[in-house]
Amino acid sequence: MVKEKIPCAVFISGRGTNLKAIYNYSKNNLSKIDLKLVISNKSNVPGVKFARKNKINTKIINYKNKIKAENKILEYLKKYNIRLICLAGFMKILSKTFIKKFKYNILNIHPSLLPKYKGLNTHERAIQNKDQFSGCTVHIVTEKLDSGKIILQKRVKIFKRDNAESLSRKILILENKLYPKAINKLISSL
């Protein structure tokens, strides 16, 4: 029996490379999601242009007032019957209230091997500490920053010649492959 696809929203703030990976995955016959909505806190970014070009419902949220912004987002999530949120380079931290009100899973992709290097500047920190490996992690969002259950991780070797920019590029390629797999794994476990 074929299960119904789960209505999904992707939250972005920029390039939208993970949005593209999730979109491509959603078009696959084996996909378990229906990408219904893109939320962005920035209007003129490549990710928004991609979403509109591909006729995905796209909402731009003004974050001057975080409470109003999150309430507006919750309205959209209800309107589109969203049951999964994928944070994909969304550069806003969701409030504890928002996380509690949205009763379903929220996934995030983080550019480090959590629990190492929560927060920002992960590539710089990995290089500074002379780590041999870095990578990315897809995890469940909880009220504690970058601390939820890990769904999948993938690592990459850090070479002596690497800098924050080159490491970022390598990890982004990993992210684009890992995120759809993590979504699949999460939904399969529900």
Side-chain angles (χ1 to χ4, degrees):
M1 191 173 106
V2 177
K3 276 188 176 179
E4 205 174 307
K5 291 188 175 202
I6 292 177
C8 174
V10 177
F11 290 21
I12 65 169
S13 292
R15 296 175 294 212
T17 60
N18 279 308
L19 165 62
K20 289 174 193 169
I22 294 167
Y23 171 80
N24 289 336
Y25 161 73
S26 77
K27 294 299 175 194
N28 180 320
N29 288 338
L30 300 175
S31 163
K32 298 176 193 267
I33 60 164
D34 182 9
L35 179 49
K36 292 254 188 217
L37 180 64
V38 170
I39 298 278
S40 181
N41 63 311
K42 295 184 177 180
S43 58
N44 201 18
V45 292
V48 167
K49 291 173 186 163
F50 174 84
R52 287 184 173 147
K53 181 180 162 200
N54 287 283
K55 297 179 178 28
I56 307 165
N57 298 306
T58 305
K59 305 295 179 191
I60 309 303
I61 303 297
N62 179 333
Y63 253 83
K64 283 192 178 131
N65 179 322
K66 187 173 184 168
I67 294 168
K68 279 185 184 174
E70 288 191 341
N71 285 334
K72 193 73 183 157
I73 292 170
L74 286 164
E75 283 176 32
Y76 289 131
L77 296 175
K78 189 174 182 181
K79 178 182 176 183
Y80 291 98
N81 196 31
I82 300 302
R83 298 287 175 264
L84 173 67
I85 295 172
C86 296
L87 304 180
F90 187 60
M91 300 310 287
K92 297 288 178 186
I93 295 172
L94 298 172
S95 71
K96 291 176 183 178
T97 303
F98 181 93
I99 293 166
K100 280 181 188 166
K101 282 184 179 175
F102 185 73
K103 305 265 188 260
Y104 306 95
N105 283 308
I106 303 173
L107 285 179
N108 183 42
I109 190 149
H110 185 74
S112 79
L113 295 171
L114 290 174
K116 262 189 161 181
Y117 311 126
K118 296 174 184 182
L120 301 174
N121 306 315
T122 58
H123 309 307
E124 291 87 346
R125 289 154 64 197
I127 288 169
Q128 223 169 25
N129 289 331
K130 297 182 179 15
D131 289 357
Q132 286 190 308
F133 295 95
S134 188
C136 55
T137 305
V138 178
H139 66 94
I140 304 269
V141 172
T142 62
E143 295 171 21
K144 210 169 167 197
L145 183 69
D146 296 331
S147 296
K149 179 183 173 197
I150 292 171
I151 304 300
L152 282 178
Q153 282 186 322
K154 189 89 175 146
R155 69 183 200 168
V156 65
K157 181 136 181 62
I158 301 174
F159 295 104
K160 283 188 166 58
R161 66 179 178 270
D162 275 321
N163 57 31
E165 198 175 297
S166 65
L167 185 56
S168 172
R169 282 194 302 271
K170 283 199 288 194
I171 289 174
L172 189 59
I173 292 165
L174 284 184
E175 287 182 19
N176 296 163
K177 293 176 184 168
L178 190 69
Y179 217 153
K181 288 179 183 170
I183 293 167
N184 219 35
K185 182 177 178 188
L186 173 74
I187 294 172
S188 296
S189 73
L190 297 177

